[in-house]
Amino acid sequence: MTAAPRAPVPLLAAAAFFGAAALRVCDSLLPRFAVEFHRSAGESGRLIVVFAVAYGLMQLLSGPLADRFGKQRMMTLALAGSGAASAAAALADSFDALLAWRALWGMAAAGVVPLAMAWIGDAVAYQARQATLARLLLGTLSGMVVGQLLGGLCAETALGWRGAFAVLSVGYWVVAALLWRETSHTTATVEMAAPAIGGGGLRAVLAQPWARVVLVAVFLEGVFLLGALSYLPTYLHAREGLGLAAASAVSALYAVGGLAYAVCARRIVGLLGEIRMAATGGVLMAAAWAGLWLLPHGSAAAPLAVLLGFGTYLYHNTLQTHATQMAPQARGSAVSLFSFAMFTGQSLGVVGFGGLVDLQAYAALLLLPAAAMAALGIGFAWSLRRRAARMPSSPTSGAW
């Protein structure tokens, strides 16, 4: 296997920006879809579900393909495909057609953020990987902010959802062209890590007990955090009376909390260590979800959304770093399985919480994630402590 090519982190962060924007743009547009297509908010949430399901299922193929043919080649193709699918979605003339294009969009987008993580895992030494992943996280979280704001702003203007999708399409194509130009001279020497495209790499990951712990943890995060989070703008709009743009802006502050973490990541990791980061993240998320239920007024949601994002990424970035080290010999497959687990969980969560929203069961929408994320954060911290005691020489077991 040849050495992995240098990772162009700013371009990878730009790719992550548009990938994350695509994931969140429909959150704020659900009421607009409901009106235009005569659907309930829960039914409109299928546009999030099909994207997440397609995104998750495609991980089972995109990771092994990247291990075989090179992460930069597959990632460039994924960006170009995402641009084409989002442009087609902007021209959809029915809800069913829009669902189909969102599914294809999710399939293409599957090769963006996970392969950027895997590329960094190949090219960056473990000691520097946390800080580098934090730079990638800046792109991802900025995309979440802009995606929700773009959706909210377009929802209340003539641009509508078509304009939002068209903007993302252009962004995908620009980043794909820049990444192709940056890396085209290295395509002849890309790594050929996996001898076969099939399930060998995936089986190698699943054979690792610690990998299974990480995958279960991120699956449950997808169910209880991302599933509920998709309906936060709808909740603020329905219960607190905020306009769609205002509700989207408040929800986008979740990502601002994550950005605050990413900026301070190096210092936080050194101060807390990953065990305390996981536990503290779970407690902060629980406090934020419970606080959103106890809101005295809609304006109080803003600091709680920031707190929710900060707590999330204390926890999630610990999971993410372990994902890049679960199976170094098949890193593309490992990180893709990680994303598959997360978005499978999100899909189930969106369906389940969508039913609660249709029933206006807002207490369950907020308090179930509060209890679940506290348990997950503390539980994963306990697992990390046990692993550190069993494997004191592991590079991932120390307090950092």
Side-chain angles (χ1 to χ4, degrees), residues 28-336:
S28 305
L29 290 165
L30 291 183
R32 179 84 179 241
F33 290 129
V35 171
E36 290 195 20
F37 294 109
H38 307 291
R39 309 278 172 150
S40 70
E43 289 177 310
S44 299
R46 292 166 58 196
L47 292 166
I48 300 172
V49 173
V50 296
F51 187 100
V53 169
Y55 187 107
L57 290 175
M58 191 62 186
Q59 301 299 331
L60 301 179
L61 184 59
S62 65
L65 282 172
D67 284 335
R68 174 72 182 250
F69 296 112
K71 298 169 183 66
Q72 63 271 41
R73 178 184 288 128
M74 297 307 302
M75 189 174 169
T76 303
L77 289 174
L79 286 164
S82 296
S86 54
L91 300 174
D93 59 1
S94 69
F95 188 76
D96 288 340
L98 185 55
L99 280 174
W101 285 117
R102 278 288 287 177
L104 290 172
W105 188 352
M107 292 175 65
V112 181
V113 176
L115 296 190
M117 289 171 54
W119 189 346
I120 288 170
D122 284 347
V124 179
Y126 189 82
Q127 292 76 9
R129 198 175 302 161
Q130 181 86 347
T132 306
L133 286 171
R135 293 173 63 192
L136 181 70
L137 185 62
L138 286 171
T140 303
L141 292 169
S142 299
M144 291 175 64
V145 173
V146 172
Q148 284 202 317
L149 289 176
L150 177 66
L153 291 171
C154 289
E156 295 188 333
T157 68
L159 290 174
W161 53 271
R162 298 182 191 276
F165 290 176
V167 169
L168 294 178
S169 176
V170 173
Y172 275 123
W173 280 329
V174 169
V175 177
L178 292 173
L179 189 63
W180 177 83
R181 187 180 68 177
E182 172 76 16
T183 62
S184 58
H185 66 283
T186 67
T187 55
T189 59
V190 297
E191 71 275 27
M192 303 290 280
I197 296 177
L202 302 178
R203 286 193 295 269
V205 178
L206 292 172
Q208 307 296 322
W210 180 243
R212 296 196 294 270
V213 172
V214 175
L215 293 172
V216 169
V218 80
F219 169 81
L220 293 174
E221 180 190 20
V223 172
F224 290 104
L225 176 69
L226 299 180
L229 189 63
S230 297
Y231 294 102
L232 185 55
T234 302
Y235 164 75
L236 293 172
H237 176 65
R239 184 180 180 230
E240 302 300 331
L242 299 182
L244 291 177
S248 300
V250 170
S251 299
L253 291 173
Y254 163 86
V256 173
L259 285 169
Y261 162 76
V263 169
C264 305
R266 187 186 299 273
R267 186 174 301 173
I268 291 171
V269 170
L271 179 65
L272 294 179
E274 60 182 2
I275 295 173
R276 281 176 289 180
M277 286 171 64
T280 303
V283 171
L284 292 180
M285 284 186 280
W289 281 115
L292 285 166
W293 171 242
L294 298 171
L295 281 177
H297 187 270
S299 60
L304 290 170
V306 174
L307 180 66
L308 179 60
F310 188 82
T312 295
Y313 285 95
L314 278 176
Y315 172 75
H316 182 75
N317 210 40
T318 304
L319 288 181
Q320 192 178 59
T321 304
H322 278 266
T324 67
Q325 199 65 20
M326 292 190 302
Q329 74 281 9
R331 190 170 274 119
S333 298
V335 175
S336 291

